[in-house]
Amino acid sequence: MLKKMLKVLLSLTLLVGFAGVAQAEMTREEYAIKFRRSSFTTMTWYMGAMSRMVKGEMTYDKALFARNAEYVAFLSKLPKDGFIPGTESGDTKAKPEIWSKADKFKDANDNMEKETAKLAELAKVGNFDDLKEQYGKMQKTCKVCHEEFKKKAD
Ligand code: HEC
């Protein structure tokens, strides 16, 4: 009974979700590309203040750093859901290797999730030297993946 109710609820949710997409006059694939790109953008926005603190352009604020690091750790889990089949081309810089070397792409993504989570943990403690080091390690995971899986220009 409960299972059946859940099923109905789920299909309703999917319908509503789909209606939203249809309204925006986009295919599900176009929407997935928009989603993953904007989730990377959102994540990067929350790195901004941390980056300025690490570079010494802004006074270290433990609470703000910790909050943003937590957001980034969470947001880093989102983009992978947007790399669905059928999104190899379109308004995207994704390279075909994302799908042909899926294991390697997953490793690169797992690394980002791991290092952002570690930054969030360290940010609660608040040792600024540790944070600077871990921020660098986290940024490296972006670079590694972009070099192999993201096109440089359109
Ligand atoms: C697992 C691989 C991977 C990792 C790790 C990764 N990225 Fe990306 N990133 C991509 C790919 C692929 C694209 C291109 C997406 C597209 O155009 O569809 C991209 C695009 C972007 C964009 C452009 C978004 C736009 O508007 O098109 C930004 C900004 C970005 N990444 C930031 C980051 C940052 C910051 C990190 C590290 C915290 C990171 N990425 C880690 C694969 C990755």
Side-chain angles (χ1 to χ4, degrees):
M1 182 60 192
L2 187 65
K3 231 178 166 181
K4 208 170 177 189
M5 269 170 64
L6 280 175
K7 248 189 183 165
V8 173
L9 258 180
L10 184 68
S11 47
L12 267 177
T13 315
L14 289 177
L15 265 177
V16 172
F18 186 72
V21 173
Q23 220 166 24
E25 289 179 7
M26 264 187 250
T27 63
R28 185 166 175 267
E29 289 74 19
E30 283 167 337
Y31 206 74
I33 292 172
K34 196 179 161 83
F35 158 73
R36 73 194 180 210
R37 292 184 56 183
S38 51
S39 55
F40 276 125
T41 304
T42 309
M43 178 177 69
T44 307
W45 170 261
Y46 281 106
M47 286 167 64
M50 290 196 283
S51 164
R52 289 195 291 281
M53 288 186 220
V54 164
K55 288 186 200 144
E57 294 167 6
M58 183 180 164
T59 312
Y60 172 54
D61 176 335
K62 185 182 173 190
L64 181 66
F65 197 112
R67 188 202 70 162
N68 288 7
E70 201 178 315
Y71 285 179
V72 169
F74 176 78
L75 291 166
S76 74
K77 297 175 203 281
L78 305 186
K80 65 175 179 288
D81 292 335
F83 291 92
I84 61 169
T87 59
E88 299 84 348
S89 60
D91 191 12
T92 177
K93 292 199 171 71
K95 282 193 187 171
E97 284 80 1
I98 291 171
W99 292 273
S100 64
K101 294 183 185 171
D103 287 350
K104 207 167 175 203
F105 184 70
K106 186 183 180 300
D107 282 349
N109 189 75
D110 286 349
N111 268 336
M112 164 176 65
E113 290 187 28
K114 193 180 102 201
E115 300 298 346
T116 53
K118 201 162 168 202
L119 186 70
E121 280 309 309
L122 289 172
K124 286 186 208 156
V125 180
N127 178 326
F128 192 55
D129 284 335
D130 287 349
L131 292 182
K132 279 197 274 194
E133 196 189 330
Q134 184 57 30
Y135 191 88
K137 283 188 190 166
M138 176 190 73
Q139 255 187 335
K140 209 171 160 217
T141 68
C142 320
K143 207 171 161 237
V144 166
C145 190
H146 287 175
E147 266 168 18
E148 180 147 16
F149 296 107
K150 180 174 168 276
K151 287 180 197 157
K152 300 238 160 15
D154 287 307

